[in-house]
Amino acid sequence: SRPLAVELSAKNYRQVRQYFLYNVWFSVTASVIYLLLIATLLPKILEWFVDTELEYVYSLAIILCVGRLIHSCVGPVMQLLVLNNHQKIASQISTIIACINLVLLIVCVTSFGIYGAAVSTATVLFIWALLLRYAVRVNIPNLDLSLRTPL
């Protein structure tokens, strides 16, 4: 027997697509707002709480916010995989991403310090999003997740 979510998504891809698009736009909007708040308020907050110059914290936060923004543009693809009974693929992708993250952190932190950690984390978020999006496209081919086509 198939899970109820699989039955619903198999019967009504339009509802699943609407849910997906709503989550993409909500996530992107929240990420942009967060990025703007970090960009405008973090320097003032740092001045209030810290006496020394911590400009690197500001640039690290911006790098991480941009990585999160890129990741949010893909939408809830991990949930789509799990709800459509492809949790093994989702867990394999998570394992691959953990290994890539570990290697990138070792290479980038030893070369670039804390900036290397931020850039490698943002890069891993981007790669993770691409792999999940590709897995959904391959394993749920009937579901159109493009942001251009009308509902």
Side-chain angles (χ1 to χ4, degrees):
S1 81
R2 296 166 55 178
L4 179 61
V6 176
E7 294 294 330
L8 289 175
S9 67
K11 291 178 184 174
N12 196 347
Y13 279 115
R14 182 183 169 104
Q15 271 187 328
V16 173
R17 187 163 184 279
Q18 286 176 336
Y19 162 78
F20 175 80
L21 290 176
Y22 170 77
N23 277 295
V24 167
W25 291 117
F26 179 79
S27 183
V28 167
T29 303
S31 294
V32 167
I33 291 170
Y34 184 67
L35 179 63
L36 292 174
L37 285 174
I38 290 292
T40 57
L41 296 179
L42 187 62
K44 293 175 181 153
I45 292 171
L46 287 175
E47 287 175 9
W48 291 338
F49 292 111
V50 182
D51 291 336
T52 61
E53 279 292 317
L54 288 178
E55 290 181 12
Y56 70 91
V57 173
Y58 177 71
S59 56
L60 293 174
I62 295 296
I63 292 170
L64 291 172
C65 285
V66 168
R68 177 67 192 122
L69 177 63
I70 291 169
H71 185 73
S72 68
C73 291
V74 176
V77 286
M78 178 73 87
Q79 291 88 341
L80 288 175
L81 283 173
V82 172
L83 289 175
N84 283 285
N85 219 10
H86 297 290
Q87 56 270 25
K88 184 175 180 182
I89 294 167
S91 94
Q92 289 171 343
I93 290 173
S94 294
T95 303
I96 290 168
I97 288 302
C99 294
I100 291 172
N101 191 19
L102 182 63
V103 170
L104 274 177
L105 281 172
I106 289 170
V107 170
C108 291
V109 169
T110 55
S111 300
F112 304 107
I114 197 162
Y115 287 104
V119 170
S120 67
T121 301
T123 304
V124 165
L125 285 172
F126 176 69
I127 295 169
W128 192 13
L130 288 179
L131 286 176
L132 287 172
R133 181 70 177 226
Y134 177 75
V136 168
R137 179 172 285 162
V138 168
N139 293 297
I140 314 171
N142 297 336
L143 186 59
D144 177 24
L145 297 181
S146 68
L147 301 176
R148 295 175 298 194
T149 58
L151 293 172

